[in-house]
Amino acid sequence: MSKGPTPEELRARRKLRRQQEQEAAGGAVATLTEDDVAQGRPQPMMRFEQLPAAVDSPDAQGPLTAEEEQTWELCQRSFAQYKEAWFVAAGALDIALRGRLWRRDYDTADRFIRSVADMSTSNAYRQIAGARIAALLAEPPRLELESNDLSRMRDSANVRAYVISQRAAESLTPIREDYGEDAAAEAYRTVAEATGRDKVSQKTIVGIVKQFPRRAVEELDAEQRRERIHALAMRQAAAEAAAKAQSAEPAGPVAAFAAYVATAEAFAGKTDGLAAAYAAAAEADPVEAKRLAVLLRDHLTVVVDNLPDV
């Protein structure tokens, strides 16, 4: 079996198919409007919601059916959008992989992924997992979750669209796994609003998610999640600003002491669920939980012994 067509061959194949369709329609040549042309291509940009539902066909073999051919063409249009809308292309990857649509042009799924996306299979599946989060952020829902503290429901006119990187979406995996894609998207919105950023970096998201309790340790409702993430976002932004300011200042004895304070602050920020974590651990393994608690106490004793006398 061949290694699969080159991008040039795929473009030539699509051009030939369009010509055949035009001839079948009486030879009329359509006139493209400005809205028809997206990113230099004679077709509008695909949107995530325009993708058909993915169909699992793990045993699919042989030529594609007419319906599969149509879906495969939509997927190929989406693959071309990786630089403009990675999550749409990732959604198309999901469809092509689950339905084995790639079998028409490629001999393996790995070769297909590397040809259209230039990435490993594992990275492709990570992007697929975060694609829906990015789609939710790019296309805000008509009504957002109710905020009890503000006593309002925001209409789509007041809900901003946000752009999220592949890495930042991947970093929201713990929240997505615990509470779902909508909650993960809402977490990103909350961080963006709290920090005043149009696009939140992966570093910031990672710093916040590390301090956010897993559902097994502490289950939070929607409003509690919003409040916790908002507080963590403010703390993370302050820590990043302090680190940036410190790196710009010459090193000295005050900076060295400030580093200890920053370490203590980072640890304190991770202890919100300490009691709940111990209770859960003690229920699962009381002996090991007690050993770890004693070890923690001993470490804290050393810290207290080394505190300055002020």
Side-chain angles (χ1 to χ4, degrees):
M1 186 174 288
S2 67
K3 296 182 179 180
T6 64
E8 291 76 14
E9 290 171 335
L10 287 172
R11 285 194 292 269
R13 182 179 298 174
R14 289 194 289 271
K15 181 178 180 181
L16 177 60
R17 184 176 289 111
R18 286 196 298 271
Q19 291 174 343
Q20 291 172 341
E21 291 172 351
Q22 290 171 358
E23 291 173 359
V29 178
T31 300
L32 297 176
T33 66
E34 184 177 352
D35 291 337
D36 292 326
V37 182
Q39 304 298 329
R41 294 183 299 279
Q43 290 178 325
M45 287 280 286
M46 288 288 295
R47 297 173 64 180
F48 192 86
E49 61 268 24
Q50 290 176 307
L51 294 173
V55 177
D56 290 311
S57 304
D59 301 320
Q61 300 290 336
L64 301 185
T65 65
E67 184 177 357
E68 286 179 325
E69 284 278 1
Q70 185 177 10
T71 301
W72 179 234
E73 286 297 320
L74 287 175
C75 289
Q76 291 183 92
R77 281 179 56 191
S78 300
F79 301 149
Q81 296 180 194
Y82 250 112
K83 291 183 179 180
E84 292 84 14
W86 66 269
F87 56 92
V88 177
L93 275 177
D94 186 32
I95 294 169
L97 288 170
R98 289 168 59 179
R100 287 176 59 85
L101 303 179
W102 50 263
R103 69 185 187 276
R104 191 191 74 176
D105 299 324
Y106 301 90
D107 53 355
T108 66
D110 181 69
R111 192 182 300 279
F112 153 64
I113 293 172
R114 290 192 179 278
S115 176
V116 303
D118 192 25
M119 67 177 66
S120 67
T121 301
S122 59
N123 189 26
Y125 277 107
R126 285 196 297 269
Q127 288 195 14
I128 288 170
R132 184 59 186 166
I133 297 173
L136 289 169
L137 290 166
E139 298 289 341
R142 182 64 185 170
L143 290 176
E144 196 180 358
L145 296 176
E146 184 174 3
S147 173
N148 294 329
D149 63 331
L150 299 178
S151 299
R152 60 181 171 80
M153 292 188 70
R154 290 184 290 185
D155 187 86
S156 61
N158 297 318
V159 180
R160 289 186 54 188
Y162 287 101
V163 176
I164 185 172
S165 70
Q166 301 167 16
R167 296 296 187 184
E170 181 182 333
S171 300
L172 286 165
T173 295
I175 296 177
R176 176 181 59 79
E177 290 178 342
D178 286 350
Y179 295 101
E181 295 161 338
D182 287 289
E186 177 63 13
Y188 187 87
R189 288 192 196 98
T190 301
V191 175
E193 291 172 357
T195 59
R197 301 174 187 173
D198 292 330
K199 187 174 183 180
V200 184
S201 70
Q202 178 198 15
K203 178 182 178 182
T204 298
I205 295 296
V206 169
I208 293 169
V209 172
K210 281 184 177 180
Q211 301 177 67
F212 190 77
R214 294 303 300 259
R215 191 170 189 171
V217 175
E218 182 182 7
E219 184 170 358
L220 305 173
D221 61 28
E223 189 55 40
Q224 289 172 330
R225 291 196 300 270
R226 185 194 295 270
E227 292 175 352
R228 185 72 60 86
I229 289 173
H230 186 279
L232 291 174
M234 297 299 290
R235 185 182 301 170
Q236 181 69 19
E240 291 178 5
K244 184 177 181 180
Q246 183 176 336
S247 64
E249 296 175 356
V254 175
F257 182 64
Y260 283 103
V261 177
T263 300
E265 183 181 11
F267 171 72
K270 298 179 181 180
T271 59
D272 287 348
L274 184 60
Y278 173 76
E283 185 175 351
D285 188 339
V287 175
E288 178 63 9
K290 184 175 181 179
R291 185 189 72 82
L292 290 172
V294 171
L295 186 60
L296 175 61
R297 182 199 63 193
D298 292 343
H299 287 318
L300 294 177
T301 300
V302 172
V303 172
V304 171
D305 290 343
N306 288 323
L307 283 176
D309 184 12
V310 294

